[in-house]
Every structure is written in C-alpha cells, then in structure tokens.
Amino acid sequence: GENVEQHPSTLSVQEGDSAVIKCTYSDSASNYFPWYKQELGKGPQLIIDIRSNVGEKKDQRIAVTLNKTAKHFSLHITETQPEDSAVYFCAASMSGQGGKLIFGQGTELSVKP
Amino acid sequence: NAGVTQTPKFQVLKTGQSMTLQCAQDMNHEYMSWYRQDPGMGLRLIHYSVGAGITDQGEVPNGYNVSRSTTEDFPLRLLSAAPSQTSVYFCASSYSSRVAEAFFGQGTRLTVV
C-alpha cells in the first residue's frame, strides 16, 4: 500500500523567512496530494492541493510543487507570519478513493516574531 | 452548515468498556472516514464508507467497528477498549470518492486507563 514520508518533523523559522516541507510517496498510482494545517485542539484543514497532471500550484503565500518522476512533493510558505505556526500534514490519495488519504507524519512549524 | 460534528470531545474509558464515537455531517457528502492521530505518526485511516450501507477497512481497523445506515452519520464503535486505543480520533467527509477534499471534525480525545 501507499506510504508517505514527511520531513522535517519540526521546523523553526524567523518571521518573514520561507519554510519548506517535503514529502515522498511510494505508490506511483497516487494522483492527488493535499496539504493540511492543524492548529492546536482543532481538526486538520485543507490549505492547498495538487493533482498529478500539474507540476506547481500557488495560492498567495503558499505553493506546492510535485515531481512525479521522483515521487515527491513539497509545500513552500513565503513571508511566514506567527499565525502560520501549526502542524502541517501532507497526504496522498488515488483517483476514485476520494477521502481515503494516507498521511505523512506531520511537521510542527514554529514562526518566531 | 455545521460541517462535520463529532461527539463527545473528551472521553475516559476503563479497559474493557465499550463506547461509540459519534460523527455527523450536514453537507450531503457521500464519503466518510475515521482516522486516529498519535504523536509522530500522523493520521492513520481506521475505516471508511463510500455511501450508506457500504464500509471498508483502512490501515488500522482492528478493535473498531463501523456501520453507515444513513448518509449523515458514521459512528465508530470500540467493543472492548484497550490502552493502545488511547488517541485523538477524527472523522472526515468528502463530497464523493472522486472529489477528494476532506473536511474534518474537531476530534475526540479518548483515554483508556
């Protein structure tokens, strides 16, 4: 089955710096890659996603890149702000398996003012 | 719309007790799933359902039962709780198995002593 590895497990940056979180997946049939942000005491919330027919997607300060050949995808946050501090999860899924998501282990991002 | 509602928010059980974690969604979503979240392990899929009357196992199904009699509700049952089931449980729903954006509830923190 699918396996998703996520690095780093913790990341500390200064406000205004960029943050990059990387994930690799094992099953080449996976074609949907969402990123979730989880704030303390809350459920994960989708922040951006990418499908396998696209190499990069941006939404304001966040972007995701996908390298299908190498089976890895990354989350990029620019101009980080203290409110970006949270745990971030990557996940992978296959077409037709909708919300059957396989998650990475999570990255705790801390943005210091 | 309330989205995905989980009850209770917190629960303490004794080993061997049974209980049901409730999950309800009001978005007419076809796909519902249960995850558990443990430190350093991300979210792991327990069971999922692609529609009323249809359920299947995820990555870690042992010790848990589910049923889906209506589109709105997807309860998770622990028949004989064990300390290894101490975790935070999240219910999620998606519009369909082909549209993968998953919406999560706020979670149930379960402690088994």
Side-chain angles (χ1 to χ4, degrees):
Chain A
E2 176 65 279
N3 183 54
V4 179
E5 297 287 333
Q6 181 173 347
H7 298 283
S9 57
T10 61
L11 180 60
S12 181
V13 300
Q14 288 294 131
E15 182 177 0
D17 287 350
S18 295
V20 180
I21 303 170
K22 298 182 179 182
C23 289
T24 59
Y25 61 100
S26 62
D27 193 333
S28 56
S30 291
N31 57 8
Y32 174 69
F33 307 94
W35 285 89
Y36 283 83
K37 176 182 181 181
Q38 185 180 28
E39 296 176 337
L40 197 61
K42 297 186 178 180
Q45 185 170 14
L46 180 71
I47 56 172
I48 194 167
D49 57 13
I50 191 167
R51 296 186 185 271
S52 59
N53 57 348
V54 175
E56 181 175 359
K57 184 177 179 180
K58 288 186 72 173
D59 183 4
Q60 299 183 354
R61 295 186 298 109
I62 60 174
V64 58
T65 59
L66 172 66
N67 183 326
K68 285 172 52 181
T69 303
K71 289 191 278 191
H72 66 71
F73 56 112
S74 301
L75 177 71
H76 304 253
I77 306 175
T78 59
E79 300 172 18
T80 53
Q81 301 167 2
E83 51 265 38
D84 294 329
S85 296
V87 179
Y88 291 81
F89 291 98
C90 64
S93 180
M94 284 182 250
S95 177
Q97 294 191 15
K100 186 181 176 183
L101 298 165
I102 304 300
F103 283 85
Q105 296 83 356
T107 296
E108 184 174 1
L109 174 64
S110 175
V111 180
K112 301 188 183 309
Chain B
N1 283 352
V4 179
T5 303
Q6 290 183 237
T7 56
K9 287 186 168 50
F10 302 93
Q11 183 71 49
V12 179
L13 286 179
K14 293 183 179 178
T15 297
Q17 286 186 317
S18 63
M19 81 159 294
T20 299
L21 280 62
Q22 301 291 345
C23 175
Q25 53 90 10
D26 61 0
M27 298 174 281
N28 200 31
H29 282 177
E30 181 179 290
Y31 197 106
M32 296 185 73
S33 49
W34 277 100
Y35 294 84
R36 60 177 288 173
Q37 183 176 24
D38 301 294
M41 302 189 75
L43 290 92
R44 292 180 292 169
L45 182 65
I46 304 171
H47 285 287
Y48 64 99
S49 170
V50 300
I54 306 169
T55 64
D56 205 347
Q57 297 181 349
E59 301 171 86
V60 288
N62 292 341
Y64 307 95
N65 281 350
V66 293
S67 61
R68 182 107 178 260
S69 56
T70 67
T71 300
E72 295 80 17
D73 301 298
F74 190 43
L76 179 72
R77 280 182 286 275
L78 285 71
L79 296 179
S80 179
S84 60
Q85 294 178 305
T86 294
S87 188
V88 181
Y89 291 85
F90 288 99
C91 178
S93 73
S94 306
Y95 179 71
S96 77
S97 61
R98 291 175 290 108
V99 178
E101 179 180 356
F103 295 83
F104 284 81
Q106 295 292 298
T108 295
R109 183 173 293 274
L110 175 66
T111 302
V112 182
V113 298

